Amino acid sequence: MSSAPPVADTGRPARPREIPTIRRRDGIGGALAFRNDQLGFLGAGLDRYGDIFRFRPLGIPIVLVNHPDYIRHILVENGERYDKDAMLFRVVRPVLRRGLIANADMELWRRQRRMMAPHFTPRTVNKFARNMTDETELMLQGWERRPGEVLDVTDEIGQLALRIVNRSLFSAEVGTTAQGFGQAFGTANAILGDFFRFPFPPLNFPTPRNRRLHRSIADMDAFVSKFIRARLQADAAQGGEAGDEEPDLLTLLLHSVDEEDGKGMDLEQLHHEVLNICIGAFETTTNTLSWVFYLLARHPEVEARLHAEVDAVLGERTVASFEDLPKLPYARMVIDETLRIYSPAYQFMRRAREEDTVDGYRVPANTNILVNSYFLHRHPDFWEDPERFDPERFTPEAIAQRPKHVYTPFGAGHRICIGRHFALTELILVLATVVRQHRLVLPDPTTEVLPDALITLHPKGGIHLRLEER
């Protein structure tokens, strides 16, 4: 971070600096360049202006910040001065509505977070670990009949992720309906990603694209509503008495009460939160594990070390358990390095509620602040040879040498992702269980999969790998 702004001869601090702005004459391009190649456009801006610059797609002021000191200032030290009433979250709000991910109402968000946080601690996530490994085992049983086949790994893991989250939420088998939910989200993700890059025409304008979006939202809503209605009917039939089984997440949310007002969620808010959980858990697991298996296929030396750790910890067992997690540090390092290179939630935004100064730069009120971890996680000042896949970056010693906020796969500050413990537990358990029995190999060693910058960072065309038994 640069030094403090100079002091004028009068003894008074100098006026805040203006943030550099991309202009047409810079050769970087304007709204169409941002729409056609978002990552290329932002990368060119960073190359030209450094860690903070402004651009205006269709006149909307956006400031990209790309330094851990700036992120600490905005998300941690001054978190209350920045909210989620920002362009990106306005774009996704037709899907996520008032759920935790995109909620701009700070008081409602705090109330919901208070009620939900106890159900997402490492201790409570332990109760759902068996769902993760049971469903992984079922997937692998199906794989046993497909040796040598080239799998659409993104689709396979996507279906697994939905089965895990819905078993954890609803204690239910979701079957082929999970695939329909994934397809509906994929459609919405692509449409909203395009709209974020070029927000015109408005989403409420009846274009064919917007009709497809609203059909997809309706499909996802129907999926969630079906399970909530069934649970409410079952509860009514039992007279409101809970069964003897371990409660699932839906039961916990249904009976959650805010410690301040003594009330629970209404059904509309419950629907929004359940939909947010489904989308968040599905997308994080699907994309991260797809990229993990792709990177392992390209780096056999990392794969060999991972195999050695997993074999030593599991011994004769073929399925990992929650108790194994502390004994699998290299598996966690592989996950962390994958999240560095290909974070699914690779961008997020805040809106400046009032004028602020960041490192001497004036940030006007209502400015959209963009954090793009695709670039933050490649910042050459903090990551040597940043395109190299190297899990050793995440040894305890290496982590201690870096600024905390240069790595933000789950965000930072008071709005850090509530599901991060669930996600990390699932990612490590699925990874360890899969690699204990199988390898996933590139059919063509020259194949290169590129990231697709939608609302989330998706492997373009999906990951396709050949299944081999170990």
Side-chain angles (χ1 to χ4, degrees):
M1 191 168 175
S2 59
S3 59
V7 177
D9 293 339
T10 60
R12 294 176 297 179
R15 291 182 179 179
R17 294 171 287 175
E18 291 300 314
I19 296 170
T21 300
I22 292 178
R23 305 186 188 282
R24 287 188 179 276
R25 63 176 179 267
D26 296 338
I28 295 171
L32 287 177
F34 180 62
R35 179 184 189 179
N36 293 335
D37 183 3
Q38 177 183 338
L39 296 179
F41 176 89
L42 296 176
L46 288 168
D47 289 342
R48 176 143 190 158
Y49 294 112
D51 290 334
I52 182 168
F53 65 86
R54 178 188 287 111
F55 61 105
R56 298 177 181 272
L58 300 187
I60 300 169
I62 299 176
V63 171
L64 178 74
V65 296
N66 194 55
H67 194 284
D69 290 353
Y70 299 165
I71 291 160
R72 185 184 67 244
H73 175 99
I74 292 164
L75 298 184
V76 181
E77 296 172 351
N78 296 276
E80 294 297 320
R81 299 171 71 176
Y82 293 84
D83 63 24
K84 283 198 172 183
D85 194 17
M87 176 187 170
L88 176 63
F89 293 110
R90 289 196 296 270
V91 167
V92 300
R93 203 161 287 137
V95 176
L96 300 174
R97 282 155 285 187
R98 297 192 303 160
L100 284 183
I101 296 174
N103 196 330
D105 183 333
M106 295 293 283
E107 290 306 312
L108 176 59
W109 174 84
R110 288 190 186 92
R111 182 178 187 274
Q112 290 301 112
R113 182 88 179 200
R114 283 195 302 269
M115 283 193 285
M116 295 174 64
H119 310 314
F120 289 90
T121 64
R123 186 177 67 177
T124 53
V125 167
N126 178 23
K127 300 175 183 177
F128 303 110
R130 188 62 182 269
N131 296 340
M132 302 169 186
T133 54
D134 282 353
E135 290 296 335
T136 305
E137 225 180 342
L138 288 173
M139 179 185 74
L140 296 182
Q141 288 173 11
W143 285 11
E144 289 175 2
R145 299 187 293 273
R146 304 165 67 183
E149 185 174 329
V150 175
L151 303 180
D152 183 340
V153 174
T154 306
D155 182 62
E156 295 281 331
I157 298 298
Q159 292 186 54
L160 170 66
L162 280 169
R163 290 196 299 270
I164 290 172
V165 70
N166 286 290
R167 182 167 165 177
S168 301
L169 267 167
F170 310 123
S171 300
E173 301 293 334
V174 296
T176 57
T177 59
Q179 197 165 15
F181 181 94
Q183 291 169 349
F185 175 75
T187 298
N189 195 7
I191 291 172
L192 293 176
D194 181 66
F195 185 75
F196 171 70
R197 295 189 301 272
F198 195 83
F200 186 83
L203 293 175
N204 58 4
F205 197 78
T207 64
R209 178 200 70 181
N210 291 348
R211 291 191 189 99
R212 289 198 309 275
L213 171 65
H214 293 297
R215 283 196 298 269
S216 297
I217 295 171
D219 288 345
M220 288 186 283
D221 281 341
F223 178 85
V224 169
S225 294
K226 172 186 173 183
F227 289 105
I228 293 177
R229 284 197 306 269
R231 178 58 50 80
L232 293 174
Q233 290 168 0
D235 284 359
Q238 295 175 359
E241 295 292 329
D244 296 331
E245 301 86 4
E246 187 73 39
D248 55 27
L249 271 172
L250 180 57
T251 298
L252 295 172
L253 295 178
L254 272 168
H255 296 284
S256 294
V257 174
D258 180 33
E259 61 187 18
E260 293 192 4
D261 63 22
K263 299 178 181 178
M265 301 182 211
D266 60 37
L267 288 181
E268 181 182 43
Q269 188 66 40
L270 177 68
H271 180 104
H272 294 168
E273 300 299 359
V274 169
L275 180 61
N276 276 233
I277 292 169
C278 285
I279 289 173
F282 162 68
E283 190 66 0
T284 297
T285 302
T286 302
N287 286 340
T288 304
L289 285 174
S290 295
W291 288 118
V292 165
F293 291 122
Y294 169 73
L295 289 168
L296 289 174
R298 294 184 65 91
H299 297 84
E301 73 288 353
V302 174
E303 182 188 49
R305 182 171 171 185
L306 177 63
H307 285 164
E309 177 181 84
V310 170
D311 292 351
V313 171
L314 269 62
E316 296 300 316
R317 291 180 291 130
T318 58
V319 179
S321 69
F322 186 83
E323 290 70 29
D324 293 325
L325 292 178
K327 307 169 192 173
L328 294 167
Y330 194 69
R332 170 65 187 267
M333 290 159 62
V334 168
I335 294 294
D336 285 340
E337 175 68 345
T338 302
L339 287 170
R340 180 189 70 83
I341 300 175
Y342 297 120
S343 289
Y346 74 108
Q347 61 180 359
F348 52 91
M349 267 189 167
R350 295 293 187 269
R351 178 190 68 108
R353 302 174 69 185
E354 56 193 70
E355 184 167 312
D356 193 14
T357 302
V358 177
D359 189 28
Y361 290 102
R362 185 177 74 90
V363 177
N366 295 314
T367 297
N368 294 280
I369 304 294
L370 175 63
V371 178
N372 188 298
S373 63
Y374 184 87
F375 295 105
L376 181 67
H377 293 174
R378 288 166 168 78
H379 198 303
D381 289 354
F382 307 102
W383 307 99
E384 183 180 353
D385 192 7
E387 294 295 339
R388 187 180 79 249
F389 178 59
D390 181 10
E392 292 296 312
R393 300 179 199 273
F394 288 92
T395 63
E397 297 77 17
I399 292 171
Q401 292 174 6
R402 286 191 299 269
K404 180 178 179 180
H405 298 105
V406 78
Y407 181 65
T408 59
F410 297 103
H414 63 290
R415 296 202 68 157
I416 193 169
C417 175
I418 195 173
R420 64 194 183 280
H421 299 305
F422 188 104
L424 288 168
T425 298
E426 180 180 8
L427 292 168
I428 297 169
L429 290 179
V430 173
L431 174 62
T433 300
V434 171
V435 303
R436 180 67 181 85
Q437 304 177 60
H438 299 281
R439 296 185 68 222
L440 291 161
V441 181
L442 282 168
D444 178 356
T446 65
T447 298
E448 183 178 4
V449 180
L450 299 176
D452 199 4
L454 309 177
I455 292 298
T456 56
L457 197 69
H458 197 77
K460 194 167 189 175
I463 304 292
H464 298 82
L465 301 170
R466 177 176 291 113
L467 178 66
E468 292 184 1
E469 291 187 12
R470 288 188 57 200

